Amino acid sequence: MPNAVIVGTQWGDEGKAKVIDYLTEKSDVIIRFQGGSNAGHTVIVDGHKFVFHLVPSGIITPGKVCIVGNGVVVDMEQFLKEVDDLMESGISVEGRLMISNLAHLVLPYHKAIDQASESSRGESRIGTTGRGIGPAYADKVSRIGVRAGDLYEWDIFCEKFKAGFASAKQKVELLHNAPFDLNEEEILERYSKIRERLLPFIKDTSYYIFDAERAGKKLLFEGAQGTFLDVDHGTYPYVTSSNTISGSACTGAGVGPLSINHCIGIVKAYTTRVGNGPFPTELTDSTGDMLRDVGKEFGSTTGRPRRCGWFDAVMVRKAIQLNGISRLALTKLDVLSGLSEIKVCTHYEIDGWRTDQFPPNTQQYERVTPVYNIIPGWKRDISGCKKFSDLPSEAVNYIKQIRELCYGIPALIVSVGPERSQTIEVDGI
Ligand code: IMP
């Protein structure tokens, strides 16, 4: 397999981790390039459930090297927790897990700003995960951030931490009018203790990636969240604070564009969204409840129920365009089993006009009415299907509809359940 980047084509939670796990077998180095512990990547292997927020999910495959790239904002305490959980499950990360020295840190004061900012927004809150992601990226671009590499020199780390802490205290107390009850000394004490454990993971990972590629190793770039949470191209302001699209893999890993040959877009067979913001195909009826229950659509980071709706081809077409997607991976097809009919949104109507394009701003997007094709569903359980030919004809028809509506881009795999084994290969790449 050539070097590939994996992205979500909707609002995140498309089941990327399962596809990453599948493609990890064909890769050598797996690199996360954006986001932070707002992500929740779940992989189930032989009934054992692993949930990752920061560590690339490829780590569960023996021998693979995993990198937390410079574009990620890293909560070091969360990172160590995941390392401990892996060790408890008998998975050694020794020598095959690295954090870029340039990755910015999410510190406890970022979470305090995130939570205070959400509270002060009231009705217009974003519905963030509360993990401090936005404030950490804000400090990065304001050039007052603290980076993983700063931990090498404790004095420098303390100096930067104290400046960030003071700025956060002002924001929380003066801007958001909220109490700021963090104890600077106590946090520094905690970091001084974990620092020794963290240092061996911190490397100039861009050199490692460059050398690995020159040595013929295959790279897999692991995106988090989804295209419509991208800070530029998503449904702003109801987005996350990083670029989630494939182009961000270059800046977030420190590679040039020619290092990526292939982009795989993960598409859930229906649509979900966590947090606030417009969602044209949302179902607030019993079908939406069924999708949530059967699809276990509850956030793996916050446990919040996800909003559920029909498949939206306008979104996925836009995602194909923005990411340069060469193959799709269709996930959670099994969740639709039992429905007598399934709706697929093909176009939008805005202010009486029909369009096949994504509207240019969120105000217009809020006024969108979806235009649907209604196609027959299938009754039987498909979670045991191993080959394409095992699927009922209605399910095959649904896959074909999606392909037709999405520029004819074929699916690489179709997932019919959370287990590794519940994956139908459409063909190899
Ligand atoms: P933040 O990334 O915590 O700032 O949250 C901003 C928006 O992105 C909120 O609507 C979150 O629910 C959403 N979000 C962040 N990470 C994920 C994810 O991994 N899956 C789905 N939604 C996410």
Side-chain angles (χ1 to χ4, degrees):
M1 189 183 77
N3 297 340
V5 53
I6 295 194
V7 291
T9 59
Q10 293 150 322
W11 279 295
D13 308 315
E14 295 92 354
K16 288 180 288 296
K18 185 180 159 172
V19 183
I20 291 161
D21 179 53
Y22 168 81
L23 291 173
T24 293
E25 289 290 338
K26 304 173 202 276
S27 317
D28 302 296
V29 184
I30 300 95
I31 309 140
R32 254 296 287 274
F33 57 87
Q34 47 73 225
S37 56
N38 48 351
H41 290 172
T42 308
V43 188
I44 301 178
V45 185
D46 300 331
H48 190 118
K49 185 171 165 183
F50 296 89
V51 183
F52 299 101
H53 300 284
L54 274 168
V55 173
S57 42
I59 199 76
I60 54 178
T61 306
K64 307 296 172 179
V65 173
C66 290
I67 294 178
V68 178
N70 60 279
V72 179
V73 285
V74 188
D75 175 340
M76 289 296 202
E77 294 178 305
Q78 172 64 35
F79 174 83
L80 286 181
K81 185 178 172 309
E82 286 175 35
V83 168
D84 288 342
D85 289 350
L86 282 161
M87 278 161 45
E88 255 174 49
S89 307
I91 297 174
S92 165
V93 300
E94 184 87 45
R96 58 187 196 95
L97 180 60
M98 297 171 219
I99 302 174
S100 164
N101 57 323
L102 304 182
H104 278 251
L105 301 187
V106 179
L107 293 158
Y109 55 73
H110 292 124
K111 292 182 204 166
I113 305 174
D114 196 356
Q115 282 150 21
S117 148
E118 281 286 88
S119 305
S120 70
R121 274 172 168 266
E123 283 297 287
S124 60
R125 68 186 179 281
I126 309 292
T128 72
T129 58
R131 297 294 178 105
I133 305 302
Y137 278 116
D139 277 4
K140 171 177 172 170
V141 294
S142 306
R143 291 156 295 182
I144 55 163
V146 186
R147 305 200 284 190
D150 292 327
L151 280 165
Y152 281 125
E153 291 175 68
W154 183 241
D155 290 351
I156 303 275
F157 177 85
C158 291
E159 199 181 298
K160 292 189 176 180
F161 177 93
K162 285 179 180 170
F165 189 92
S167 153
K169 183 168 162 57
Q170 279 201 342
K171 281 185 194 129
V172 171
E173 290 181 344
L174 303 179
L175 194 62
H176 302 303
N177 208 13
F180 184 79
D181 46 22
L182 294 177
N183 182 321
E184 188 179 72
E185 290 312 317
E186 191 209 25
I187 302 168
L188 279 175
E189 171 75 20
R190 261 187 3 239
Y191 269 78
S192 73
K193 289 205 181 110
I194 60 172
R195 179 172 167 258
E196 292 304 319
R197 279 195 72 197
L198 288 168
L199 290 179
F201 292 105
I202 303 170
K203 300 260 164 21
D204 184 337
T205 52
S206 67
Y207 276 118
Y208 182 90
I209 299 168
F210 186 72
D211 291 344
E213 196 187 355
R214 279 165 60 90
K217 305 270 189 223
K218 298 291 172 224
L219 312 179
L220 183 65
F221 298 88
E222 168 178 335
Q225 289 87 42
T227 298
F228 293 91
L229 290 173
D230 183 281
V231 68
D232 285 291
H233 299 282
T235 47
Y236 192 90
Y238 300 102
V239 292
T240 190
S241 300
S242 62
N243 284 110
T244 59
I245 61 170
S246 59
S248 165
C250 289
T251 49
V255 300
L258 300 183
S259 295
I260 305 174
N261 325 99
H262 197 45
C263 177
I264 299 163
I266 316 303
V267 185
K268 184 144 58 179
Y270 48 98
T271 312
T272 59
R273 173 164 209 169
V274 215
N276 296 339
F279 182 173
T281 65
E282 182 169 14
L283 288 162
T284 49
D285 58 6
S286 57
T287 308
D289 294 343
M290 181 289 269
L291 293 176
R292 186 174 312 106
D293 290 345
V294 178
K296 300 194 173 57
E297 296 293 356
F298 296 89
S300 38
T301 300
T302 58
R304 290 179 291 178
R306 296 179 185 142
R307 300 155 66 192
C308 298
W310 296 120
F311 179 83
D312 183 340
V314 184
M315 283 181 85
V316 177
R317 281 197 296 265
K318 178 77 178 171
I320 289 168
Q321 176 208 323
L322 290 169
N323 292 289
I325 289 171
S326 40
R327 295 298 285 266
L328 296 172
L330 185 65
T331 60
K332 296 190 124 175
L333 187 66
D334 54 303
V335 175
L336 298 177
S337 300
L339 290 169
S340 52
E341 55 184 36
I342 301 174
K343 289 188 181 174
V344 179
C345 168
T346 58
H347 292 79
Y348 292 153
E349 262 180 25
I350 310 172
D351 305 333
W353 291 91
R354 183 182 271 223
T355 175
D356 62 357
Q357 294 199 349
F358 207 77
N361 61 48
T362 305
Q363 298 84 278
Q364 278 197 19
Y365 196 50
E366 271 162 357
R367 300 201 300 276
V368 150
T369 312
V371 178
Y372 289 114
N373 261 359
I374 301 180
I375 65 165
W378 56 94
K379 286 277 167 226
R380 80 174 153 90
D381 176 17
I382 58 169
S383 59
C385 294
K386 299 273 177 242
K387 311 190 289 296
F388 210 68
S389 54
D390 294 341
L391 291 168
S393 60
E394 294 86 353
V396 172
N397 182 35
Y398 186 65
I399 297 168
K400 285 187 178 159
Q401 274 262 331
I402 290 179
R403 178 176 171 161
E404 269 165 38
L405 290 167
C406 296
Y407 303 118
I409 294 184
L412 171 68
I413 58 167
V414 175
S415 167
V416 291
E419 280 279 350
R420 248 185 200 174
S421 56
Q422 292 172 298
T423 308
I424 299 176
E425 294 200 17
V426 180
D427 75 38
I429 45 171

